[in-house]
Amino acid sequence: MKLDCGPHAGLAGSRHRLPWILATLIAAVLALGAAAARAQPLDIDEWLVPWPDTRPRDPYLGPQGRVWFCGQVGNYLAYLEPGSGRFQRFNLGPGTHPHNLIVAPGGEVWYAGNQDAHIGRFDPLERKILKVAMPHTRAGDPHTLAFTASGDIWFTVQWGNFIGRLYTDTARVRLLEVPTPRARPYGIKVDRRQRPWVVLLGTNKLATVDPDRLTLSEIEIPHPRARPRRLEVDAAGNVWFVDYARGYLGRYDPGSGGFEEWLLPGGENSRPYGTALDRDGRIWIAETGAVPNHLVGFDPRTRTFLSRTPVPNGGGSIRHMYYDPARHEVWYGADTNHIGRVRLPD
């Protein structure tokens, strides 16, 4: 084979090939970087809760860096001090079964008395509880709570089929019944316009409420077998939800009314449950369909899944997660009696 090695050999062809070669190399580097990111495990720390078999869940970061959580089966509220590993427990009445809590800037802990038809306000300093009773006999199971910017609380009542608002200054409650029977309003988040968004686990629908008119609207997810369980609302107002029945991450754009969805890495039986939205707009999801559970990230900018990391203690079911923007960390409670912290990559 003869090679032309003269000073002008192949220059015309090189002018055409060089951009293609560079593009190919860049694409290969980006692909390797993306693969490395997906392969990189998350940094996870865990603390064993000292009260066995009490289903610690729904952690929330409060003042002094204390991580508050519910002992749903144990009928208590508690906090963890991550630096020292110290736990402090506060007992609630028998049969309360606290399901979820949120912490006000002043340190007051609001919790859902899931089997005792009330929302409670616990003052850690005075160790006193104010109970706000539900105003309807069917609203016996307050489920998940979310603050508004003014400090009021929107909440769901799963089996009672209500979305409610608690006016915290007067302890008055307004309940809105979901039109679809047995819709099972479940996860809830409040967007920047102070509208609550809710996933309806018993059907293939989302719901939202006009906070001024107190009118409730339902939005149907296109797939009839979809069963959304938790959700996040990003800065642009897009609603991200996990389809527990089908193993998908879904996105709803309220502006266009359009839907998109992506099958999770764990597949159709991944049972996505707890979620968190970080400061970069990435969605973090707990796949609970297998033991161990896996924590998975999704980047909306590239429409790709990030690292998939097994939970060290197995997880059981990670039902709810909390994102701390100051430290760029996600907290979770696990059915295996652990509280976990995930240090997210930049």
Side-chain angles (χ1 to χ4, degrees):
M1 180 175 62
K2 182 179 179 180
L3 297 178
D4 185 353
C5 297
H8 303 293
L11 286 180
S14 296
R15 283 197 296 270
H16 295 287
R17 289 197 303 271
L18 188 58
W20 179 86
I21 293 171
L22 286 174
T24 302
L25 288 172
I26 291 169
V29 169
L30 290 175
L32 287 171
R38 285 194 295 271
Q40 181 182 2
L42 297 171
D43 183 5
I44 301 176
D45 299 308
E46 293 184 325
W47 291 261
L48 178 64
V49 175
W51 309 292
D53 303 320
T54 52
R55 189 181 288 175
R57 59 174 299 157
D58 295 31
Y60 198 106
L61 193 67
Q64 300 175 302
R66 292 171 173 171
V67 181
W68 286 86
F69 60 93
C70 299
Q72 184 179 7
V73 176
N75 290 306
Y76 64 80
L77 306 178
Y79 65 74
L80 161 70
E81 293 179 337
S84 65
R86 186 175 78 92
F87 287 86
Q88 177 68 51
R89 170 174 172 158
F90 304 91
N91 290 326
L92 303 173
T96 301
H97 291 266
H99 186 275
N100 174 248
L101 62 74
I102 53 179
V103 184
E108 302 86 5
V109 181
W110 292 87
Y111 69 87
N114 187 243
Q115 293 190 24
D116 197 32
H118 76 274
I119 293 175
R121 175 185 177 274
F122 174 65
D123 184 334
L125 295 178
E126 298 187 2
R127 301 195 177 188
K128 292 183 178 179
I129 296 175
L130 167 70
K131 292 185 178 182
V132 180
M134 292 295 100
H136 196 293
T137 56
R138 283 200 291 107
D141 62 318
H143 190 274
T144 303
L145 318 175
F147 280 125
T148 68
S150 64
D152 289 339
I153 296 171
W154 285 100
F155 63 94
T156 54
V157 182
Q158 181 185 187
W159 296 106
N161 218 41
F162 293 104
I163 298 171
R165 181 168 186 170
L166 167 59
Y167 298 86
T168 54
D169 57 344
T170 62
R172 183 169 65 96
V173 174
R174 290 287 303 271
L175 293 174
L176 303 171
E177 187 166 7
V178 177
T180 299
R182 298 179 295 279
R184 297 178 61 188
Y186 206 87
I188 184 170
K189 289 293 170 73
V190 177
D191 69 15
R192 294 191 173 188
R193 296 170 58 188
Q194 303 309 301
R195 295 179 302 176
W197 287 89
V198 175
V199 281
L200 304 179
L201 178 59
T203 187
N204 61 321
K205 294 181 180 179
L206 310 174
T208 189
V209 176
D210 183 313
D212 298 319
R213 299 178 181 178
L214 291 182
T215 52
L216 190 154
S217 304
E218 295 180 318
I219 301 101
E220 186 170 328
I221 299 169
H223 200 289
R225 288 200 302 109
R227 292 296 180 269
R229 194 151 199 176
R230 294 289 185 191
L231 78 163
E232 303 293 333
V233 185
D234 67 23
N238 299 301
V239 180
W240 297 85
F241 60 92
V242 286
D243 183 347
Y244 185 79
R246 299 173 54 242
Y248 279 82
L249 170 65
R251 173 185 176 272
Y252 170 64
D253 180 350
S256 67
F259 281 87
E260 294 178 272
E261 63 177 14
W262 296 264
L263 182 66
L264 268 82
E268 295 180 356
N269 294 318
S270 57
R271 297 289 186 264
Y273 203 160
T275 61
L277 174 72
D278 74 16
R279 66 192 180 198
D280 298 318
R282 296 175 298 185
I283 316 296
W284 298 92
I285 304 160
E287 294 182 332
T288 65
V291 177
N293 291 179
H294 284 76
L295 297 178
V296 177
F298 181 81
D299 188 342
R301 293 170 298 183
T302 60
R303 298 296 200 268
T304 56
F305 285 99
L306 307 172
S307 62
R308 182 172 185 257
T309 304
V311 175
N313 71 79
S317 280
I318 294 176
R319 302 164 183 269
H320 198 54
M321 300 199 295
Y322 171 84
Y323 174 66
D324 172 18
R327 298 168 181 82
H328 197 42
E329 297 172 344
V330 168
W331 288 89
Y332 63 84
D335 287 358
T336 53
N337 233 57
H338 288 79
I339 296 295
R341 176 180 63 193
V342 186
R343 300 179 188 271
L344 297 180
D346 291 328

